[in-house]
Amino acid sequence: MKTILITGCSSGYGLETARLFHQQGWQVVATMRTPDPVVLAPAERLRIVALDVTRADSIGQALALAGPIDVLVNNAGIGLFGAFEATPMATVRDIFETNTFGTMAMTQAVVPQFRARRSGLVINVTSSATLAPFPLVAAYTASKTAVEGFTESLALELAEFGVRVKLIEPGYGPTTRFASNGAQRMQGLLPEAYMPLAQSIFATLGQSSAVTTEAAVAEAVWRAANDAGETLRYPAGEDAVELAG
């Protein structure tokens, strides 16, 4: 029975991915900053572990509780929508701290057990924003693009030891908590001069029927975890698949 550890399971893609793998008979270690039994309750083959990917001590404690794992899914991330001109550099650093450095720190902590065992899989969740330019998400896109480059190089680096690395690229997910989770962080990031652009983007997104669901991302992670081939990228969601094409 394989074990998967997923970060960022308090909502959205991480939560749905944890549910899917559990339903498929895997042992699941679902992590979140503040475990909430209302969101996801412990069950047979399902453990809920507190984890803040920006803190080395939290990463160490979580991995000690998890024990040996076969798959790591770096899903934890925070969103940001706004004009880069108005975005404080402290906010940019916060985005990178979770989205980029958190992913790298988790991976670095897990790789030794994978390398020693000569098996294991790291799956990094980025965004379809890396597939095509998109306005008003410059800092967010930068944080995810950095993960793409990191993953491409790491896949070559770890292949020598039988360890695989893959990317999931979700599209626009209107049912996720991307906006609500970052509401406070985004205050003041849309000056009046940028409002017409923002309104046109919101209108376009509202009219699009091609979007990404939590289930689509969970299914992409499932495919990646069970694919022994050399595929690196897995676009997730109808819109992301269109962009990748």
Side-chain angles (χ1 to χ4, degrees):
M1 187 183 299
K2 291 187 176 181
T3 300
I4 185 170
L5 186 151
I6 308 163
T7 69
C9 291
S10 61
S11 65
Y13 304 145
L15 177 58
E16 189 64 25
T17 300
R19 287 170 171 164
L20 174 61
F21 276 81
H22 185 248
Q23 290 166 1
Q24 294 296 327
W26 282 50
Q27 293 193 99
V28 176
V29 181
T31 73
M32 55 188 80
R33 286 191 180 187
T34 306
D36 184 347
V38 175
V39 173
L40 191 63
E44 183 181 358
R45 295 183 291 98
L46 174 62
R47 284 176 286 169
I48 316 299
V49 175
L51 170 63
D52 181 342
V53 299
T54 69
R55 290 174 40 212
D57 60 334
S58 181
I59 291 173
Q61 291 168 7
L63 291 179
L65 289 172
I69 64 173
D70 300 285
V71 179
L72 166 66
V73 178
N74 284 310
N75 166 76
I78 54 180
L80 190 70
F81 184 90
F84 180 72
E85 172 188 341
T87 305
M89 286 308 298
T91 300
V92 175
R93 291 187 178 92
D94 285 344
I95 293 294
F96 270 79
E97 198 64 48
T98 296
N99 295 358
T100 309
F101 302 138
T103 292
M104 297 174 78
M106 281 298 299
T107 302
Q108 191 174 64
V110 166
V111 162
Q113 64 169 284
F114 285 177
R115 178 179 52 76
R117 208 163 61 228
R118 299 191 69 83
S119 69
L121 171 62
V122 177
I123 300 176
N124 294 329
V125 180
T126 58
S127 168
S128 64
T130 65
L131 299 173
F134 197 78
L136 300 182
V137 287
Y140 172 79
T141 300
S143 72
K144 291 297 189 177
T145 301
V147 174
E148 293 254 333
F150 163 68
T151 304
E152 289 174 334
S153 181
L154 191 68
L156 299 174
E157 185 174 321
L158 296 183
E160 179 74 16
F161 306 102
V163 179
R164 296 173 298 137
V165 189
K166 295 178 179 287
L167 282 164
I168 305 296
E169 299 166 323
Y172 169 58
T175 59
T176 67
R177 288 167 52 185
F178 179 93
S180 60
N181 283 348
Q184 184 175 358
R185 192 182 311 112
M186 298 180 203
Q187 287 183 4
L189 300 191
L190 281 176
E192 186 62 32
Y194 288 89
M195 287 306 297
L197 174 60
Q199 289 167 356
S200 69
I201 292 170
F202 293 145
T204 300
L205 291 174
Q207 294 168 3
S208 177
S209 60
V211 296
T212 296
T213 64
E214 290 90 337
V217 176
E219 288 162 8
V221 176
W222 174 259
R223 290 196 305 274
N226 290 279
D227 183 1
E230 297 182 1
T231 300
L232 175 67
R233 289 180 166 82
Y234 298 78
E238 186 179 346
D239 53 337
V241 171
E242 288 180 2
L243 283 175

